[in-house]
Amino acid sequence: KCEVDEFRSTHQIRVAGNDVLTPIQNWDQLGLITPFMNVIKAKRFKNPTAIQMQALPLLLHGRDVLACAETGSGKTLAYAIPMLRHVSAQRRSLPGEGPIALVLVHTRELVIQIAQEIQDFAESIKIRVVCVFGGSEVKFQMSSLKRGCEIVICTPGRLLQTLTVSNGKITNLNRVSFVVLDEADRIFDEGFEPQIQTIFSILRPDRQLCMFSATFPKYLSKLANELFSRGRDKDELAAEK
Ligand code: ADP
Ligand code: MG
């Protein structure tokens, strides 16, 4: 226990919540599949970053997590690896079927950036990632969605538009069991809370949820606790570099 506290303080990791798992020190402790380890090696990611050390074991354990760490600290991979493992444990989507995991962000640029960051991992296990955002590529996005995919990375408004069929009914989120709000502070600062609430009202209550943010405003932990408590235990994590 003391050693864990010491390890955390060395890496400037702070936590709150019940039974927060011990942070990992190296990649080998995660027992990842070979394709993922190969990508990590190819990318020359020698060790997990501080946020990855603490968030990875929690998310791989199925917990809901609110994670805060500065920009450039490797937050994408901290949720992408657990998300990809979660998705890969289930059968692939059939044509017309919706995704298993959802990543919500506030801009199209961020959608594209995240897709690039996780592309090699997804390809290594043949997981299909579709980006959904407003603009010129809408037709292409729709046809990719119709073919079936396992992960959707999207902006909230465009996701709702894409999923709303003519009678106003929203379809195709029934398989979603892993949800990420990345740059969560920005999502709410930009006024997307109504769309987020709509999306969560459709999602299965037992979905796993994680929120990643560069800042840790009070309203964010309040929102996290509301969204977490809909389906699962309340978990909270704060880690700062
Ligand atoms: P954040 O979302 O926290 O701003 P990103 O996930 O975009 O950070 O990662 C920032 C950069 O760090 C990316 O180029 C990413 O490939 C790289 N990176 C991620 N994890 C590691 C790691 N364990 N070791 C070295 N570099 C990493
Ligand atoms: Mg990021």
Side-chain angles (χ1 to χ4, degrees):
K1 178 92 186 114
C2 232
E3 270 172 51
V4 173
D5 290 343
E6 210 177 294
F7 180 82
R8 283 202 183 109
S9 95
T10 307
H11 294 274
Q12 288 175 276
I13 298 170
R14 285 187 288 155
V15 297
N18 301 324
D19 307 318
V20 181
L21 270 67
T22 305
I24 54 151
Q25 304 185 35
N26 56 64
W27 297 114
D28 293 333
Q29 284 172 276
L30 290 175
L32 296 178
I33 54 171
T34 310
F36 286 177
M37 288 305 287
N38 288 342
V39 176
I40 288 169
K41 266 182 216 140
K43 288 183 182 279
R44 300 177 198 282
F45 293 166
K46 218 163 156 279
N47 285 303
T49 63
I51 193 73
Q52 291 166 358
M53 287 172 172
Q54 185 61 80
L56 282 167
L58 284 165
L59 287 173
L60 286 166
H61 198 250
R63 304 274 299 257
D64 286 351
V65 171
L66 168 60
C68 297
E70 65 184 355
T71 303
S73 57
K75 292 192 287 295
T76 316
L77 215 56
Y79 64 78
I81 287 176
M83 173 174 73
L84 284 156
R85 201 197 60 170
H86 174 89
V87 164
S88 69
Q90 297 169 63
R91 69 163 176 79
R92 301 296 188 265
S93 299
L94 300 169
E97 245 179 353
I100 301 164
L102 206 55
V103 181
L104 294 155
V105 295
H106 72 294
T107 65
R108 60 178 282 164
E109 287 72 27
L110 202 48
V111 169
I112 295 164
Q113 192 190 314
I114 293 164
Q116 284 169 350
E117 183 75 21
I118 71 175
Q119 184 177 346
D120 292 349
F121 290 95
E123 269 177 21
S124 77
I125 52 170
K126 300 203 161 51
I127 294 293
R128 293 164 295 178
V129 179
V130 173
C131 296
V132 175
F133 50 75
S136 57
E137 293 177 60
V138 168
K139 267 194 178 150
F140 175 73
Q141 295 169 28
M142 284 302 281
S143 66
S144 308
L145 273 180
K146 277 182 189 142
R147 241 177 281 135
C149 65
E150 287 73 39
I151 296 175
V152 166
I153 308 174
C154 60
T155 50
R158 176 56 58 168
L159 178 77
L160 287 171
Q161 278 178 28
T162 310
L163 295 175
T164 307
V165 291
S166 49
N167 59 359
K169 230 181 94 189
I170 294 160
T171 59
N172 249 347
L173 289 178
N174 44 320
R175 263 197 114 196
V176 173
S177 48
F178 193 108
V179 186
V180 182
L181 302 189
D182 195 3
E183 301 205 3
D185 52 346
R186 301 300 311 278
I187 293 177
F188 297 110
D189 289 348
E190 300 293 328
F192 283 111
E193 184 170 353
Q195 288 92 331
I196 295 294
Q197 295 289 2
T198 304
I199 292 164
F200 275 89
S201 71
I202 303 162
L203 294 176
R204 289 164 40 174
D206 62 343
R207 71 282 173 307
Q208 187 178 357
L209 170 62
C210 56
M211 295 169 56
F212 281 77
S213 173
T215 66
F216 195 15
K218 272 234 160 67
Y219 74 81
L220 203 58
S221 50
K222 190 172 164 281
L223 265 164
N225 275 318
E226 281 169 27
L227 293 170
F228 288 178
S229 63
R230 288 198 192 169
R232 306 159 57 91
D233 293 342
K234 290 184 190 177
D235 300 329
E236 230 184 283
L237 160 75
E240 275 163 24
K241 261 195 130 176

